[in-house]
């Protein structure tokens, strides 16, 4: 089964965006739908998450602006990919991390 890519972004209050993707190896052949359902169950108001809690790179801009910036990131999607992994962690470890997080409250 191919690797799995998680796409997410940071969008500030001025709608400036920075996107990123993380590619996990998937030696356990975990189905995309299982990951997507888990991710969606851990999102704040069906869209957002805290990158530090998910151990994903933070995408905030270099200079913090109190009028535009906030602390959460936005989930885009998950997809299969043949691209090489870019993290030392496999998908099962990421899934275990998400499972350990509480179900978030809305914003």
């Amino acid at each position: 089964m191919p690797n799995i890519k998680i796409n997410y972004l940071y969008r500030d209050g001025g709608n400036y965006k920075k996107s990123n993707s993380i590619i996990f190896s998937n030696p356990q052949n975990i189905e995309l739908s299982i990951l997507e359902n888990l991710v969606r169950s851990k999102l704040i108001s069906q869209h957002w998450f805290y990158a530090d809690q998910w151990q994903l790179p933070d995408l905030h801009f270099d200079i913090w602006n109190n009028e535009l910036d906030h602390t959460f990131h936005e989930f885009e999607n998950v997809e299969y990919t043949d691209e090489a992994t870019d993290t030392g962690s496999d998908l099962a470890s990421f899934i275990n991390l998400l499972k350990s997080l509480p179900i978030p409250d809305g914003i």
Side-chain angles (χ1 to χ4, degrees), residues 5 10 14 28-31 34 36 41 47 59 64-65 68 88-89 92 94-96 101 105:
K5 181 191 283 190
Y10 174 72
Q28 299 87 0
N29 294 324
I30 296 168
E31 293 289 329
I34 291 171
E36 185 163 10
S41 76
H47 300 284
L59 303 179
W64 185 269
N65 181 330
L68 296 177
S89 178
F94 181 70
I95 286 174
N96 287 335
L101 297 174
D105 294 330

Side-chain angles (χ1 to χ4, degrees), residues 5 23 44 47 52 81 93 100:
K5 181 191 283 190
I23 302 171
I44 303 163
H47 300 284
D52 61 330
T81 184
S93 298
S100 73

Side-chain angles (χ1 to χ4, degrees), residues 38-58:
L38 175 61
V39 165
R40 293 196 180 280
S41 76
K42 299 297 180 166
L43 294 173
I44 303 163
S45 297
Q46 302 175 356
H47 300 284
W48 301 288
F49 66 95
Y50 296 106
D52 61 330
Q53 289 180 350
W54 289 26
Q55 297 178 5
L56 297 177
D58 187 293

Side-chain angles (χ1 to χ4, degrees), residues 6-32:
I6 297 176
N7 301 300
Y8 68 104
L9 63 102
Y10 174 72
R11 180 193 320 249
D12 71 11
N15 205 28
Y16 292 97
K17 302 171 196 152
K18 271 176 110 174
S19 296
N20 195 31
S21 299
I22 298 295
I23 302 171
F24 289 98
S25 64
N26 188 15
Q28 299 87 0
N29 294 324
I30 296 168
E31 293 289 329
L32 193 65

Side-chain angles (χ1 to χ4, degrees), residues 77-107:
N77 62 8
V78 294
E79 61 185 308
Y80 289 123
T81 184
D82 291 325
E83 295 174 69
T85 63
D86 58 3
T87 180
S89 178
D90 69 16
L91 187 60
S93 298
F94 181 70
I95 286 174
N96 287 335
L97 170 72
L98 290 183
K99 286 180 177 179
S100 73
L101 297 174
I103 302 220
D105 294 330
I107 291 180

